[in-house]
Amino acid sequence: MYRLIPALALISTQAVAQAPTVSGTDGQNVLGTVPCTALAGDPVGDCPAELRRKDDGSATLAVQLKTGEVRRIYFEGGEATSSSSTSKMTTEIRGDMLIIFIDPGEVYEIPKAAVATQ
């Protein structure tokens, strides 16, 4: 349960969607952290993240990994469709969480509500 608390920061509510989170944004961006790991065998930790929504219902999640790299995960219709990595990506649903795996060892835990089409 403790690991889920930071992930909930990305759940977009009407109030969050109305207020810009970064100077100069249009109010559709959401800042927070997501549980993630960049290397197989590493423990899951919190990674800074920004969810950027577009008018067409798609979204991009930008996650800063502990390695300094930024991984982008692209969503359409609430589903993860691709990433900025050339490696294989798979997804799994566990309750209300979308778990994203990118080979060889990246793992991201995203609340389904955060990327659901509004």
Side-chain angles (χ1 to χ4, degrees):
M1 179 65 180
Y2 178 73
R3 286 186 2 205
L4 296 179
I5 293 169
L8 294 178
L10 283 178
I11 294 178
S12 178
T13 64
Q14 200 64 308
V16 172
Q18 297 293 323
T21 56
V22 177
S23 179
T25 66
D26 61 5
Q28 294 187 30
N29 297 339
V30 179
L31 297 176
T33 61
V34 295
C36 77
T37 185
L39 302 170
D42 278 357
V44 173
D46 293 331
C47 296
E50 180 180 16
L51 182 65
R52 301 176 193 135
R53 297 181 184 279
K54 297 182 182 172
D55 290 337
D56 65 3
S58 64
T60 301
L61 178 67
V63 181
Q64 183 175 358
L65 303 173
K66 290 175 178 42
T67 61
E69 183 179 3
V70 175
R71 174 69 61 229
R72 288 173 180 77
I73 303 171
Y74 305 100
F75 297 87
E76 291 183 25
E79 302 288 328
T81 56
S82 63
S83 78
S84 59
S85 173
T86 57
S87 297
K88 179 181 176 185
M89 181 181 81
T90 57
T91 61
E92 180 180 308
I93 295 175
R94 295 182 192 161
D96 63 350
M97 298 297 287
L98 175 63
I99 313 300
I100 300 168
F101 303 93
I102 300 175
D103 288 343
E106 295 177 35
V107 180
Y108 305 90
E109 300 177 12
I110 315 298
K112 289 189 310 185
V115 294
T117 304
Q118 306 236 346

